[in-house]
Amino acid sequence: MSRRSGRADRGATPKRRRTRAEARRERAALRPGTRRDQPRSGRPPSAPLLYLLRHLQAAFAAAGRARRARLHTTLTTAVVGIALALPAAFLVALENIEEVAGGWQEGAPQASLFLEREAEPQAVREHAGEVAANEGVVDVEVVTPEQALAEFRAGSEFDAALELLDTNPLPPVLVVTADRSLTPEQVVSLAESLADDGRVVRMRLDQEWVERLHAMMNLAERALWSVGVLLALAVILVIGNTIRLTIESRRHEVEILKLIGGSNGFVRRPFLYEGMAYGLLGGVLAWVLTELGRWLLAGPTEQLADAYAADFALSGLGLAGGALVVATGLVLGLLGAWTAVARHLAAIEPR
Amino acid sequence: MIHFDRVSKRYPRAGRDGLRGVSLEIAEGELVFITGHSGAGKTTLLRLIPLLERPSGGRLTVAGVDVDQLPRRRIPLLRQRIGVTFQDHRLLQDRSVFENVAMPLEIAGVPRREAARRVRAALDKVGLLAKEQVDPVTLSGGEQQRVGIARAVVNRPPVLLADEPTGNLDPELSNEIMGLFTSFQAIGTTVLIATHDLDLVERLGYRMITLEQGELRADRPAREGVG
Ligand SMILES: Nc1ncnc2c1ncn2[C@@H]1O[C@H](COP(=O)(O)OP(=O)(O)OP(=O)(O)O)[C@@H](O)[C@H]1O
Ligand SMILES: [Mg+2]
């Protein structure tokens, strides 16, 4: 055994202190050369192009893998598609109901303006004309005291009591129908402005039906949102779990990539693309499913509309709605993949 | 280039020491053989350099950077600049030989055509050009080892670490592979090779470090006129 190794045994510190300049030179040796140092043919592309290329690379890798694991891909896509189709169909249904509800004249809000009893028929007709000129008024019907009395007589047991009166106690009435596109609040303010007139004695607003419908629609919309949020969460979880399984099955590859210098971003990218692919395919499937549903319901709807003598056809998601569903799928896929990647990829350390 | 300053490595779970207070200095462009009996700590020493393992004591400086102070996100950059061949090859079995060797270039973002050229050049050097489209499973141990060597050198790293690169090779191939490593040293690459093949080491005459139970036993400088 030489003296030299004896010293090493005691763990001697190398005597010579390294200078800063030396350290700097060494660091330079490990730094990758700049682009210009490389031969023209072997030069890596410029930074933004390189970034894009890497993403393309990752996308193709993910697509290739998805093609190989066909059953896996199909099942995940189906689950995501169905989960997205449910709120989409619900949304379409709601829009159609709103359209139908708006289409029924009976549903339009009505206000009754009771005029002074001694108003002349001519003046009442003029008044009706003024009211009809208001914005938001669709129709004005004049009910004369005589008509009112006749109607009253026909439908009540007060007949005998009415006999006792020598004059007609009923005033002329204007029945105003408001535009159905008005909100309940707008109808109220319209009716009040019409009532704010010296010739109007009393006003009665009849829009219970509309208020109920509005309340129901609001409720349905709220329900749609909560269901939508829950299903979105489900999509995130499903995709997250799928990606987790993929990471688990490719653990060896991730280890080796990290071993030879793959950065977290490099290792992560294919998994994120895989998640987005599931979301995208699921979104397209959801679109197809809603359109399919509409097509299936088109016949029965037409029969129903005919029975009510209404002119109505089911409307679908449309291009914008479809694109929204697909984009939602994409974003949810990315989020799902991210949850899996953040938790499981960082935990893999190269051996 | 690489400075070990009383570096030790303890495996806490096994309760064993891989390295004990090793001090070493390896200059840029040097070729060093690391020998020692099985379990002496050769693999441990090599694995500390690209931070596959963290030292549990002492200070390790690689290329002027104290590895303890290297931020996590910069570790991949360090690893990209250090070519490593592993005792157990560490190849991806579901990718062809070509794809395995191309991985470091893919990570570095080398354009496809240039990458293909370099992969073929590296495979040619290890004598496996004919097998580029084959899956690694169908290769012999020695062939897999050579694929690992091609992968380590394909991106022309300034530091090359080889763990028993000739363990499964016949003498003739061993000579050839060692020739490959010395040719890298000749163009300025720092090379560390762990090996049991003492005859070969003696014949080549480069610097040789001997480990014993995790400690530095001997450090024989290169023969006159070598390296
Ligand atoms: N991951 C690990 N966990 C626990 N102990 C380990 C680990 N790796 C190595 N060791 C221990 O550290 C010591 C040194 O091992 P190392 O692998 O560095 O030896 P080696 O010189 O490469 O041996 P060989 O020639 O057989 O490859 C051994 O005692 C071994 O048991
Ligand atoms: Mg070993």
Side-chain angles (χ1 to χ4, degrees), chain B residues 189-202:
Chain B
T189 308
T190 311
V191 187
L192 267 75
I193 306 172
T195 181
H196 285 296
D197 197 345
L198 288 175
D199 288 348
L200 196 68
V201 175
E202 281 307 325

Side-chain angles (χ1 to χ4, degrees), chain A residues 1-2 4-18 22-33 38-45 50 53-54 57-58 60-61 65 68 249-267 346-351, chain B residues 1-6 21-28 47 50-53 59 61-65 72-73 75-82 84 86 88 90-95 100 103-112 114 117-118 151 156 158-159 207 212 215-221:
Chain A
M1 202 52 52
S2 69
R4 192 191 177 110
S5 63
R7 238 182 44 198
D9 268 349
R10 278 180 268 116
T13 321
K15 281 267 157 50
R16 200 165 53 90
R17 292 217 141 229
R18 295 183 320 107
E22 215 176 321
R24 195 164 335 123
R25 207 178 49 75
E26 282 185 350
R27 269 203 294 279
L30 259 201
R31 202 169 302 138
Q38 316 254 358
R40 184 166 276 281
S41 64
R43 215 177 265 181
L50 185 64
L53 274 175
R54 295 218 160 148
Q57 218 176 36
F60 275 114
R65 242 183 292 147
R68 259 170 279 155
S249 72
R250 302 167 63 75
R251 189 184 188 88
H252 191 57
E253 178 179 343
V254 171
E255 267 176 19
I256 290 178
L257 282 175
K258 285 192 170 185
L259 209 57
I260 61 175
S263 64
N264 275 333
F266 182 85
V267 176
I348 299 179
E349 274 301 320
R351 281 190 299 106
Chain B
M1 192 63 158
I2 300 164
H3 306 267
F4 283 78
D5 184 0
R6 280 173 293 179
V22 170
S23 293
L24 258 185
E25 183 154 343
I26 291 156
E28 190 177 344
R47 286 174 61 86
L51 261 82
L52 298 174
E53 227 58 87
R59 239 167 69 112
T61 320
V62 179
V65 180
R72 268 182 81 89
R73 67 188 164 77
I75 295 176
L77 290 177
L78 179 71
R79 288 187 188 148
Q80 282 173 27
R81 308 300 296 159
I82 300 178
V84 188
F86 301 89
D88 50 355
R90 310 303 302 274
L91 301 177
L92 272 176
Q93 301 299 340
D94 61 347
R95 296 205 195 174
N100 265 285
M103 269 194 306
L105 300 175
E106 202 180 306
I107 289 171
V110 174
R112 201 172 271 270
E114 168 71 4
R117 200 184 61 72
R118 283 203 219 166
R151 186 182 65 189
R156 303 185 199 122
V159 176
R207 180 176 169 194
E212 195 177 304
E215 292 179 16
L216 192 63
R217 199 30 83 211
D219 185 349
R220 196 209 61 191

Side-chain angles (χ1 to χ4, degrees), chain A residues 166-231:
Chain A
D166 23 325
T167 55
N168 185 348
L170 298 173
V173 180
L174 298 182
V175 178
V176 182
T177 305
D179 193 329
R180 58 187 155 83
S181 70
L182 296 183
T183 65
E185 295 77 44
Q186 283 171 320
V187 172
V188 168
S189 74
L190 173 69
E192 273 168 0
S193 78
L194 292 180
D196 190 18
D197 185 312
R199 294 165 294 179
V200 177
V201 179
R202 214 162 61 78
M203 183 272 289
R204 204 172 55 109
L205 190 58
D206 177 23
Q207 64 163 359
E208 251 174 31
W209 194 87
V210 175
E211 270 170 359
R212 278 191 205 140
L213 183 70
H214 263 264
M216 251 145 61
M217 287 305 215
N218 280 340
L219 190 69
E221 227 161 86
R222 191 66 65 83
L224 172 66
W225 273 109
S226 355
V227 170
V229 167
L230 283 178
L231 286 169

Side-chain angles (χ1 to χ4, degrees), chain A residues 240-285:
Chain A
N241 193 48
T242 305
I243 299 297
R244 184 183 65 81
L245 291 175
T246 316
I247 292 175
E248 217 40 66
S249 72
R250 302 167 63 75
R251 189 184 188 88
H252 191 57
E253 178 179 343
V254 171
E255 267 176 19
I256 290 178
L257 282 175
K258 285 192 170 185
L259 209 57
I260 61 175
S263 64
N264 275 333
F266 182 85
V267 176
R268 185 162 54 207
R269 238 168 267 141
F271 294 107
L272 295 184
Y273 271 100
E274 197 176 324
M276 285 198 282
Y278 288 135
L280 188 81
L281 293 176
V284 170
L285 180 64

Side-chain angles (χ1 to χ4, degrees), chain B residues 20-170:
Chain B
R20 283 188 263 186
V22 170
S23 293
L24 258 185
E25 183 154 343
I26 291 156
E28 190 177 344
E30 213 178 349
L31 190 153
V32 181
F33 283 108
I34 303 162
T35 60
H37 60 87
S38 180
K42 304 181 292 295
T43 300
T44 305
L45 186 140
L46 291 183
R47 286 174 61 86
L48 284 169
I49 297 167
L51 261 82
L52 298 174
E53 227 58 87
R54 293 267 186 182
S56 42
R59 239 167 69 112
L60 171 60
T61 320
V62 179
V65 180
D66 185 341
V67 295
D68 264 341
Q69 274 155 29
L70 192 68
R72 268 182 81 89
R73 67 188 164 77
R74 294 195 62 89
I75 295 176
L77 290 177
L78 179 71
R79 288 187 188 148
Q80 282 173 27
R81 308 300 296 159
I82 300 178
V84 188
T85 75
F86 301 89
Q87 221 167 341
D88 50 355
H89 324 317
R90 310 303 302 274
L91 301 177
L92 272 176
Q93 301 299 340
D94 61 347
R95 296 205 195 174
S96 69
V97 166
F98 182 94
E99 288 172 313
N100 265 285
V101 176
M103 269 194 306
L105 300 175
E106 202 180 306
I107 289 171
V110 174
R112 201 172 271 270
R113 203 129 53 93
E114 168 71 4
R117 200 184 61 72
R118 283 203 219 166
V119 169
R120 298 224 167 83
L123 282 173
D124 191 28
K125 279 187 193 145
V126 297
L128 282 179
L129 196 49
K131 305 230 171 183
E132 61 168 295
Q133 289 313 327
V134 166
D135 274 354
V137 248
T138 65
L139 296 180
S140 73
E143 285 169 329
Q144 293 195 28
Q145 206 150 32
R146 285 185 280 153
V147 175
I149 293 168
R151 186 182 65 189
V153 303
V154 74
N155 205 15
R156 303 185 199 122
V159 176
L160 204 47
L161 311 176
D163 199 350
E164 316 243 1
T166 58
N168 291 311
L169 305 183
D170 58 62

